[in-house]
Amino acid sequence: MKVTYTGETKTTKDVNGKDVELENSKVYKCMEKEYHSGLFVRISLDSREHVKVKRSELRKM
C-alpha cells in the first residue's frame, strides 16, 4: 500500500542504523496490515531500507 509522509523533512536512522532522509509529501510503501494495527509503521524507502515512522505522520493514498 502507498502512503504519503506528512511529517517534517528530517534525517533519521533506518532499522540497520544507517542515516536516511525522510522528505515531506513523498510517497512511500508499507504493509496495509501493519498500517492498521500498529502505532509505528515500517515504511520502505527507494534504497530498499526500512524506517519506523509514527502512523500519525502518514496519510493513506
Side-chain angles (χ1 to χ4, degrees), residues 39-53:
L39 180 62
F40 287 91
V41 179
R42 205 171 44 170
I43 59 174
S44 299
L45 305 174
D46 295 334
S47 62
R48 299 186 188 262
E49 300 295 331
H50 296 287
V51 177
K52 288 188 178 181
V53 179

Side-chain angles (χ1 to χ4, degrees), residues 13-45:
K13 299 220 181 255
D14 65 4
V15 293
N16 295 326
K18 298 178 185 174
D19 288 335
V20 293
E21 186 170 332
L22 293 175
E23 298 176 26
N24 186 5
S25 301
K26 188 168 180 181
V27 176
Y28 297 101
K29 294 181 184 177
C30 73
M31 292 183 61
E32 188 167 358
K33 182 178 179 182
E34 190 173 344
Y35 179 83
H36 291 292
S37 65
L39 180 62
F40 287 91
V41 179
R42 205 171 44 170
I43 59 174
S44 299
L45 305 174

Side-chain angles (χ1 to χ4, degrees), residues 3-16:
V3 292
T4 304
Y5 177 69
T6 59
E8 294 181 18
T9 299
K10 62 182 177 181
T11 301
T12 187
K13 299 220 181 255
D14 65 4
V15 293
N16 295 326

